[in-house]
Amino acid sequence: MVDVAIIGHGVVGSGVAEIILNHKDLLTEKAKNEINLKYILDIRDFENVPYADKFTKDFNDILNDDDVRVVIETAGGATFAYDYVKACLLKGKSVVTSNKELVAAKGAELLKIAMDNNINFLFEASVGGGIPVLRPIAQCLAANDLTEITGILNGTTNFILTKMIKDNMQFSDALSMAQRLGYAERDPSADIDGHDAARKICILASLAFGKHVYPDQIKTDGIRGMLLSDIALNSNMGYVTKLVGNAKVLGNGKITAAVSPAVIKKSDIISSTEDVFNIIKVRGDAIGDVAFYGRGAGKLPTASAVVADVLDCIKHLHARKYLFWDEGDKDYVVNPDTVAFSYLVITDAKNSDAVKSEFAVSDVCEENGNVAFTLKKTAKCDLKAKMEKLGINDYRIFRVID
Ligand code: HSE
């Protein structure tokens, strides 16, 4: 029998407890070992759950119990969670977490502690909720030189954009609906301003390219205030509007990474990823493109990935799963605004002639007083400088994903 403990009884933590208790026989069979949920740490009282006897408010109950071999952290944040996870790893307990904020900020350090102690630190649920993506990158795609990752990494914003595109719903109404359905983070700015997706692209890029990418190295733009008219114009140009995370190897030991509103050809598999679903497309030199698709948020999808990691820890109590990356450095991630990409720009139709005279424009579409145009590859900082030279201040930029 292996004792486990859960830190945090929120949406994900309660889902993990339910799966461990409801699937006890199935999990025992798969782990070839009985999983005993011994403690749940939370400062709140939960008297009406069938496992009320397992709650503690004292972290030391878990830390000092040598029978607890696996600790599951679902509390979130990078302050208390960091202290708890680090303490458990230093005590020789394997840790499983769904906490992208923690892994994005401290992943390299915590992986090193796990390696030094010959235990596991696993976090499949931190990216893409229930979608298996980190393990496939670390294991199944290990023979590839991975060069680019592109994805819809936030279910809330994808849900909002889908409601705007399909139901003509205003941004604020769609956000309220996402919050009611429990998709949004406690502070929805983490979703709509792109920070949640940025944390996930940090984790994906760190794992795929081998060196830690920190959240403050990601150029991050969200979808706050996205206009229905822009979404319609993008559609007329043949594109679907999405919030996309991208990380790309540039050569010379450097990468670039960003989260930004983007447009994607309607025929691309990323475009057909709707509602709360996520997709992560990985490019490797041998495999070409491979995509991972599924539910990127929600209680049970996320808990499903957490419990699978717990099983892996139990099956490897005396061995390490290969999952590792090195600390990063400040010059590793190049500002994407200085790298040439394709862009679609929308501005007032009165600027149409000026724009056409200044830019190498490929497609143009005018509608309801706005003009949209796509540009040959250019650096965003040059694009902005040219718009400033033309005296155009009111415009929106979408990266064209190809
Ligand atoms: N708020 C996040 C999302 C939850 O919408 O994707 C999963 O990280």
Side-chain angles (χ1 to χ4, degrees):
M1 186 168 81
V2 178
D3 289 344
V4 305
I6 301 173
I7 297 176
H9 192 256
V11 175
V12 178
S14 60
V16 170
E18 282 171 31
I19 293 182
I20 289 179
L21 296 169
N22 295 343
H23 288 184
K24 198 168 180 63
D25 293 344
L26 179 83
L27 297 177
T28 300
E29 170 59 26
K30 290 194 175 173
K32 302 285 178 247
N33 209 332
E34 188 184 335
I35 305 175
N36 178 43
L37 176 55
K38 192 162 183 181
Y39 303 104
I40 302 174
L41 177 73
D42 203 296
I43 51 168
R44 297 165 295 176
D45 292 314
F46 295 90
E47 281 153 11
N48 296 325
V49 291
Y51 45 88
D53 58 316
K54 299 188 187 296
F55 282 88
T56 174
K57 292 184 180 6
D58 186 357
F59 171 63
N60 288 315
D61 286 346
I62 296 171
L63 187 67
N64 296 327
D65 186 334
D66 290 339
D67 290 338
V68 174
R69 305 290 300 276
V70 182
V71 176
I72 302 151
E73 187 277 309
T74 65
T79 51
F80 294 118
Y82 169 64
D83 294 340
Y84 290 166
V85 167
K86 190 171 171 178
C88 289
L89 291 171
L90 287 168
K91 265 264 183 175
K93 300 176 192 299
S94 287
V95 174
V96 172
T97 184
S98 57
N99 183 343
K100 55 251 168 191
E101 194 176 342
L102 175 67
V103 182
K106 303 284 185 187
E109 180 191 342
L110 297 171
L111 282 166
K112 172 85 168 53
I113 297 173
M115 188 171 78
D116 291 346
N117 287 279
N118 197 31
I119 47 173
N120 288 296
F121 176 53
L122 300 180
F123 38 85
E124 182 65 60
S126 65
V127 179
I131 307 169
V133 60
L134 300 184
R135 199 174 269 92
I137 287 175
Q139 294 180 357
C140 315
L141 300 178
N144 285 263
D145 185 12
L146 300 177
T147 54
E148 187 164 2
I149 297 180
T150 306
I152 295 176
L153 303 170
N154 182 267
T156 302
T157 45
N158 203 37
F159 178 85
I160 292 170
L161 290 172
T162 304
K163 286 287 163 205
M164 293 179 77
I165 293 165
K166 297 236 146 162
D167 300 342
N168 251 6
M169 207 180 251
Q170 292 292 345
F171 174 82
S172 53
D173 295 333
L175 171 60
S176 302
M177 192 183 237
Q179 286 176 305
R180 273 201 309 281
L181 291 169
Y183 299 146
E185 299 289 307
R186 258 172 301 178
D187 170 7
S189 62
D191 295 298
I192 60 184
D193 294 329
H195 303 301
D196 177 72
R199 290 168 189 143
K200 292 166 181 169
I201 202 74
C202 284
I203 299 169
L204 288 164
S206 301
L207 182 62
F209 310 140
K211 204 162 154 173
H212 200 119
V213 178
Y214 303 96
D216 64 1
Q217 294 179 304
I218 306 283
K219 182 88 188 347
T220 304
D221 295 307
I223 61 160
R224 194 185 283 271
M226 177 73 69
L227 300 172
L228 275 174
S229 55
D230 283 359
I231 286 177
L233 202 41
N234 290 342
S235 177
N236 286 350
M237 295 279 280
Y239 294 107
V240 177
T241 309
K242 296 288 187 189
L243 183 69
V244 166
N246 174 265
K248 188 176 164 72
V249 173
L250 298 176
N252 301 325
K254 296 194 190 298
I255 69 158
T256 189
V259 171
S260 61
V263 292
I264 305 133
K265 279 278 176 215
K266 289 181 180 174
S267 54
D268 194 296
I269 189 171
I270 294 179
S271 294
S272 50
T273 302
E274 296 180 339
D275 294 316
V276 76
F277 283 80
N278 287 188
I279 188 162
I280 300 111
K281 209 190 227 188
V282 181
R283 185 164 291 168
D285 62 343
I287 185 103
D289 282 348
V290 59
F292 304 91
Y293 169 89
R295 289 186 186 279
K299 175 175 171 168
L300 291 178
T302 308
S304 130
V306 171
V307 177
D309 274 353
V310 173
L311 283 183
D312 229 357
C313 287
I314 290 174
K315 285 196 262 184
H316 297 90
L317 282 175
H318 306 288
R320 287 203 68 246
K321 298 288 296 175
Y322 188 78
L323 191 66
F324 195 75
W325 62 74
D326 293 320
E327 288 286 359
D329 64 68
K330 68 176 175 39
D331 298 324
Y332 175 52
V333 184
V334 174
N335 180 352
D337 290 0
T338 64
V339 180
F341 290 115
S342 302
Y343 289 104
L344 183 154
V345 182
I346 298 179
T347 183
D348 195 300
K350 72 175 186 315
N351 301 321
S352 200
D353 288 342
V355 162
K356 283 182 208 159
S357 68
E358 185 68 40
F359 290 98
V361 169
S362 19
D363 288 312
V364 186
C365 180
E366 269 191 47
E367 190 180 84
N368 297 330
N370 282 320
V371 60
F373 53 94
T374 47
L375 301 176
K376 302 252 158 53
K377 284 199 172 170
T378 184
K380 199 195 255 186
C381 55
D382 294 339
L383 193 172
K384 286 180 166 175
K386 284 185 178 176
M387 292 298 261
E388 194 178 335
K389 194 176 108 191
L390 293 172
I392 303 174
N393 301 313
D394 185 14
Y395 60 93
R396 278 82 62 203
I397 301 177
F398 298 85
R399 168 113 170 247
V400 178
I401 300 297
D402 40 28

PDB file of all heavy atoms in Angstrom, residues 248-261:
ATOM      1  N   LYS A 248       9.461  29.012 -30.865  1.00  0.00           N
ATOM      2  CA  LYS A 248      10.144  28.577 -32.093  1.00  0.00           C
ATOM      3  C   LYS A 248      11.661  28.684 -31.901  1.00  0.00           C
ATOM      4  O   LYS A 248      12.160  29.677 -31.349  1.00  0.00           O
ATOM      5  CB  LYS A 248       9.699  29.521 -33.217  1.00  0.00           C
ATOM      6  CG  LYS A 248      10.111  29.168 -34.612  1.00  0.00           C
ATOM      7  CD  LYS A 248       9.482  30.199 -35.580  1.00  0.00           C
ATOM      8  CE  LYS A 248      10.088  30.211 -36.935  1.00  0.00           C
ATOM      9  NZ  LYS A 248       9.829  29.121 -37.795  1.00  0.00           N
ATOM     10  N   VAL A 249      12.353  27.655 -32.372  1.00  0.00           N
ATOM     11  CA  VAL A 249      13.809  27.677 -32.316  1.00  0.00           C
ATOM     12  C   VAL A 249      14.323  28.571 -33.443  1.00  0.00           C
ATOM     13  O   VAL A 249      13.904  28.441 -34.593  1.00  0.00           O
ATOM     14  CB  VAL A 249      14.368  26.237 -32.486  1.00  0.00           C
ATOM     15  CG1 VAL A 249      15.884  26.258 -32.607  1.00  0.00           C
ATOM     16  CG2 VAL A 249      13.930  25.358 -31.315  1.00  0.00           C
ATOM     17  N   LEU A 250      15.247  29.499 -33.098  1.00  0.00           N
ATOM     18  CA  LEU A 250      15.766  30.418 -34.111  1.00  0.00           C
ATOM     19  C   LEU A 250      17.150  30.004 -34.605  1.00  0.00           C
ATOM     20  O   LEU A 250      17.633  30.537 -35.598  1.00  0.00           O
ATOM     21  CB  LEU A 250      15.858  31.839 -33.534  1.00  0.00           C
ATOM     22  CG  LEU A 250      14.543  32.476 -33.094  1.00  0.00           C
ATOM     23  CD1 LEU A 250      14.802  33.836 -32.463  1.00  0.00           C
ATOM     24  CD2 LEU A 250      13.585  32.617 -34.271  1.00  0.00           C
ATOM     25  N   GLY A 251      17.786  29.091 -33.923  1.00  0.00           N
ATOM     26  CA  GLY A 251      19.184  28.766 -34.238  1.00  0.00           C
ATOM     27  C   GLY A 251      20.092  29.566 -33.315  1.00  0.00           C
ATOM     28  O   GLY A 251      19.636  30.400 -32.526  1.00  0.00           O
ATOM     29  N   ASN A 252      21.409  29.320 -33.399  1.00  0.00           N
ATOM     30  CA  ASN A 252      22.393  29.987 -32.533  1.00  0.00           C
ATOM     31  C   ASN A 252      22.055  29.837 -31.056  1.00  0.00           C
ATOM     32  O   ASN A 252      22.336  30.736 -30.249  1.00  0.00           O
ATOM     33  CB  ASN A 252      22.493  31.492 -32.842  1.00  0.00           C
ATOM     34  CG  ASN A 252      22.883  31.718 -34.271  1.00  0.00           C
ATOM     35  OD1 ASN A 252      23.656  30.943 -34.826  1.00  0.00           O
ATOM     36  ND2 ASN A 252      22.320  32.744 -34.877  1.00  0.00           N
ATOM     37  N   GLY A 253      21.382  28.742 -30.710  1.00  0.00           N
ATOM     38  CA  GLY A 253      21.077  28.488 -29.304  1.00  0.00           C
ATOM     39  C   GLY A 253      20.008  29.388 -28.738  1.00  0.00           C
ATOM     40  O   GLY A 253      19.890  29.535 -27.524  1.00  0.00           O
ATOM     41  N   LYS A 254      19.203  30.028 -29.597  1.00  0.00           N
ATOM     42  CA  LYS A 254      18.159  30.933 -29.087  1.00  0.00           C
ATOM     43  C   LYS A 254      16.782  30.517 -29.600  1.00  0.00           C
ATOM     44  O   LYS A 254      16.674  29.843 -30.634  1.00  0.00           O
ATOM     45  CB  LYS A 254      18.440  32.371 -29.530  1.00  0.00           C
ATOM     46  CG  LYS A 254      19.727  32.926 -28.949  1.00  0.00           C
ATOM     47  CD  LYS A 254      19.813  34.402 -29.106  1.00  0.00           C
ATOM     48  CE  LYS A 254      21.186  34.939 -28.766  1.00  0.00           C
ATOM     49  NZ  LYS A 254      21.606  34.729 -27.396  1.00  0.00           N
ATOM     50  N   ILE A 255      15.761  30.959 -28.861  1.00  0.00           N
ATOM     51  CA  ILE A 255      14.395  30.721 -29.292  1.00  0.00           C
ATOM     52  C   ILE A 255      13.620  32.041 -29.203  1.00  0.00           C
ATOM     53  O   ILE A 255      14.099  33.019 -28.626  1.00  0.00           O
ATOM     54  CB  ILE A 255      13.677  29.660 -28.422  1.00  0.00           C
ATOM     55  CG1 ILE A 255      13.431  30.200 -26.995  1.00  0.00           C
ATOM     56  CG2 ILE A 255      14.463  28.365 -28.335  1.00  0.00           C
ATOM     57  CD1 ILE A 255      12.304  29.481 -26.283  1.00  0.00           C
ATOM     58  N   THR A 256      12.398  32.060 -29.753  1.00  0.00           N
ATOM     59  CA  THR A 256      11.487  33.158 -29.490  1.00  0.00           C
ATOM     60  C   THR A 256      10.168  32.559 -29.028  1.00  0.00           C
ATOM     61  O   THR A 256       9.842  31.413 -29.392  1.00  0.00           O
ATOM     62  CB  THR A 256      11.310  34.074 -30.714  1.00  0.00           C
ATOM     63  OG1 THR A 256      10.582  35.233 -30.312  1.00  0.00           O
ATOM     64  CG2 THR A 256      10.591  33.384 -31.858  1.00  0.00           C
ATOM     65  N   ALA A 257       9.435  33.304 -28.228  1.00  0.00           N
ATOM     66  CA  ALA A 257       8.172  32.758 -27.712  1.00  0.00           C
ATOM     67  C   ALA A 257       7.206  33.894 -27.419  1.00  0.00           C
ATOM     68  O   ALA A 257       7.623  34.978 -27.003  1.00  0.00           O
ATOM     69  CB  ALA A 257       8.430  31.956 -26.437  1.00  0.00           C
ATOM     70  N   ALA A 258       5.912  33.638 -27.660  1.00  0.00           N
ATOM     71  CA  ALA A 258       4.915  34.687 -27.447  1.00  0.00           C
ATOM     72  C   ALA A 258       3.538  34.082 -27.265  1.00  0.00           C
ATOM     73  O   ALA A 258       3.267  32.957 -27.693  1.00  0.00           O
ATOM     74  CB  ALA A 258       4.887  35.630 -28.651  1.00  0.00           C
ATOM     75  N   VAL A 259       2.664  34.868 -26.638  1.00  0.00           N
ATOM     76  CA  VAL A 259       1.221  34.584 -26.641  1.00  0.00           C
ATOM     77  C   VAL A 259       0.558  35.811 -27.242  1.00  0.00           C
ATOM     78  O   VAL A 259       0.815  36.941 -26.791  1.00  0.00           O
ATOM     79  CB  VAL A 259       0.699  34.347 -25.208  1.00  0.00           C
ATOM     80  CG1 VAL A 259      -0.830  34.265 -25.208  1.00  0.00           C
ATOM     81  CG2 VAL A 259       1.290  33.079 -24.630  1.00  0.00           C
ATOM     82  N   SER A 260      -0.277  35.609 -28.265  1.00  0.00           N
ATOM     83  CA  SER A 260      -0.880  36.778 -28.914  1.00  0.00           C
ATOM     84  C   SER A 260      -2.155  36.381 -29.648  1.00  0.00           C
ATOM     85  O   SER A 260      -2.328  35.226 -30.035  1.00  0.00           O
ATOM     86  CB  SER A 260       0.110  37.378 -29.913  1.00  0.00           C
ATOM     87  OG  SER A 260       0.420  36.428 -30.909  1.00  0.00           O
ATOM     88  N   PRO A 261      -3.050  37.372 -29.868  1.00  0.00           N
ATOM     89  CA  PRO A 261      -4.175  37.109 -30.757  1.00  0.00           C
ATOM     90  C   PRO A 261      -3.621  36.793 -32.142  1.00  0.00           C
ATOM     91  O   PRO A 261      -2.678  37.440 -32.597  1.00  0.00           O
ATOM     92  CB  PRO A 261      -4.943  38.431 -30.770  1.00  0.00           C
ATOM     93  CG  PRO A 261      -4.450  39.196 -29.606  1.00  0.00           C
ATOM     94  CD  PRO A 261      -3.043  38.750 -29.363  1.00  0.00           C
TER      95      PRO A 261
END
